[in-house]
Amino acid sequence: MGALRLEPMTHEQFRSYREETVRSYAADLEGTGLTPQDALAQAEESTATLLPDGLATPGHHLWTGWDGDLEAGVLWMRIRSEADGPHAFIFDFFIHETVRRKGYGRELMRAAEARCRELGVVSIGLHVFAHNPGAHALYEQMGFRDTSYNMAKSLRP
């Protein structure tokens, strides 16, 4: 495995990615206690709101991570200008299941950081679900620190 390179997502890749990210986000939302129907509706609404113009949505960057000819994963990031400089937020980051546990997650994060530095970004934020300790551990190893906690209590029997 070499260093991953980031390439802009193609329209063809985006069509299948959008479907997959809605399904994946819905599954994560179910882990917070939402019903499957509510989770899917919320995931669809959130994705449509955040990416109203798909790949052309201003400030949003969707990249595919490549190791040679191998598509390893995907990164979706928004960059916004603030008073102290541009700040990035990672909305989605995943490594394809067939190549997980081989270091590609770390390499994709390194590639994202390098791209952010090229763009003058001063900080990168992201959200990780509490039911995903593996992702949390990776982000901590990469230098991310917890900045807040969301908590919930289900009242369903």
Side-chain angles (χ1 to χ4, degrees), residues 34-151:
L34 291 180
T35 66
Q37 297 82 7
D38 289 345
L40 185 59
Q42 185 173 326
E44 181 58 51
E45 179 182 344
S46 177
T47 303
T49 300
L50 289 168
L51 292 173
D53 299 321
L55 290 174
T57 302
H60 289 257
H61 305 269
L62 291 104
W63 291 300
T64 302
W66 294 92
D67 180 11
D69 292 335
L70 174 69
E71 182 180 328
V74 172
L75 176 74
W76 167 18
M77 180 184 302
R78 178 188 65 210
I79 300 175
R80 284 203 292 204
S81 294
E82 304 284 336
D84 63 339
H87 291 260
F89 188 85
I90 296 173
F91 282 100
D92 196 10
F93 163 88
F94 74 85
I95 300 299
H96 296 298
E97 194 151 339
T98 57
V99 296
R100 288 186 185 159
R101 314 289 312 153
K102 296 181 180 180
Y104 285 114
R106 186 174 313 283
E107 287 303 311
L108 187 58
M109 288 303 294
R110 285 186 180 130
E113 287 180 19
R115 184 61 54 96
C116 283
R117 283 187 182 94
E118 291 170 8
L119 297 171
V121 170
V122 297
S123 75
I124 303 172
L126 54 79
H127 173 269
V128 61
F129 284 98
H131 59 268
N132 191 345
H136 188 267
L138 171 65
Y139 301 141
E140 278 189 331
Q141 292 168 10
M142 298 295 300
F144 286 81
R145 297 292 167 245
D146 293 328
T147 58
S148 65
Y149 295 97
N150 292 325
M151 299 179 77

Side-chain angles (χ1 to χ4, degrees), residues 6 12 22-23 41 52 65 69 89 101 125 130 147 156:
L6 294 179
E12 182 180 316
V22 167
R23 279 193 300 269
D69 292 335
F89 188 85
R101 314 289 312 153
T147 58
R156 295 187 180 147

